[in-house]
Amino acid sequence: MEVLYEDNHLIAVNKAVGEIVQGDKTGDTPLVESIKQYLKEKYNKPGNVFCGVTHRLDRPVSGVVIFAKTSKALERFNEMLRVHNLKKTYWAIVKNPPKQPEATITHYLVRNEKQNKSFAYTTPKADAKEATLSYKVIGHSDNYTLLEIDLQTGRHHQIRCQLSAIGCPIKGDLKYGFPRSNKDGGISLHARRIEFIHPVSKEPITIEAPLPSDPIWQCMR
């Protein structure tokens, strides 16, 4: 487990592809439990250790995830998320370059629970949620394009679904139209950076996650 930031109230880690943030039906050990064990051992804490989940990343996605070490921090961080008072930046490798090198896109997403998939529409639909993100091209290789994404809403599979809707499915993302899987079973979407005002100290905080070890990330220039 790679700890990126820690203070008395928050801890941030670099989630690897394949890890889960919270427990699911697979029974695999989630990150939240690993962090509880880490805190228990590091600080020699008896009994149960508090660790609150502030947000999630899909299992095939890597990058920054923040957990709360106190209930005060969890409550305040959740409120920051609710009012979008923080900035999340993602990097994504896509096969097809977008038509515009930089743009803000809005769709209306409908989630299908059975398929665990979201569908994007250009006009409002029943049960749809508005989803907005901005992207810009920041790198290329011979075969792929690297996008930086500013996520402005937090919908189910939002980045994956919206990029697919504009003809730019993320590398390895079979669910959203990429033809081949990645060797590690993940997708080339990385939560690169989170910027916010600390919910307790009120200091500006920037947490950045190193890129995955897959050599393709190093080839994007």
Side-chain angles (χ1 to χ4, degrees):
M1 187 173 65
E2 183 180 2
V3 177
L4 302 173
Y5 174 89
E6 184 180 358
D7 61 25
N8 290 335
H9 297 277
L10 301 174
I11 181 169
V13 300
N14 188 12
K15 183 183 104 57
V17 165
E19 288 184 313
I20 51 174
V21 174
Q22 283 185 302
D24 63 9
K25 60 186 179 182
T26 65
D28 295 342
T29 301
L31 261 178
V32 65
E33 294 301 324
S34 298
I35 292 172
K36 285 181 181 180
Q37 188 61 33
Y38 162 84
L39 295 174
K40 187 178 183 69
E41 293 174 1
K42 181 175 180 178
Y43 299 104
N44 195 26
K45 287 179 174 283
N48 293 328
V49 175
F50 182 87
C51 183
V53 177
T54 66
H55 65 115
R56 298 163 184 81
L57 289 180
D58 296 340
R59 187 165 193 157
V61 179
S62 59
V64 182
V65 184
I66 297 176
F67 297 86
K69 294 168 63 176
T70 63
S71 57
K72 178 195 292 187
L74 179 61
E75 180 181 350
R76 292 182 181 180
F77 205 95
N78 283 342
E79 177 62 16
M80 289 164 55
L81 286 167
R82 188 185 70 81
V83 298
H84 309 296
N85 198 17
L86 73 168
K87 183 177 181 181
K88 294 182 180 180
T89 301
Y90 291 77
W91 284 12
I93 297 174
V94 298
K95 174 65 174 176
N96 306 316
K99 292 179 180 179
Q100 296 175 283
E102 184 172 352
T104 296
I105 56 175
T106 297
H107 291 93
Y108 299 88
L109 304 190
V110 176
R111 181 176 180 178
N112 184 306
E113 296 279 357
K114 289 185 178 180
Q115 293 180 260
N116 188 30
K117 185 176 179 179
S118 288
F119 294 85
Y121 299 90
T122 55
T123 57
K125 299 282 184 182
D127 301 323
K129 293 183 177 181
E130 187 173 309
T132 301
L133 62 80
S134 298
Y135 72 81
K136 62 180 177 181
V137 174
I138 60 170
H140 294 277
S141 69
D142 290 342
N143 298 309
Y144 298 102
T145 298
L146 178 63
L147 304 181
E148 182 171 88
I149 297 143
D150 176 12
L151 191 60
Q152 293 159 30
T153 53
R155 308 305 185 196
H156 176 258
H157 290 181
Q158 180 181 335
I159 297 174
R160 302 166 65 180
C161 183
Q162 285 197 271
L163 291 185
S164 177
I166 63 169
C168 304
I170 296 169
K171 183 179 180 295
D173 197 355
L174 300 178
K175 185 181 287 282
Y176 287 96
F178 197 84
R180 299 178 303 281
S181 61
N182 287 348
K183 290 181 180 180
D184 60 6
I187 65 175
S188 299
L189 177 61
H190 184 66
R192 178 65 163 162
R193 190 182 309 112
I194 296 181
E195 301 166 71
F196 58 95
I197 301 298
H198 194 287
V200 180
S201 72
K202 305 305 179 184
E203 294 293 322
I205 303 291
T206 298
I207 304 172
E208 186 168 283
L211 294 174
S213 57
D214 186 334
I216 192 169
W217 287 99
Q218 318 310 320
C219 297
M220 308 300 295
R221 292 290 184 269

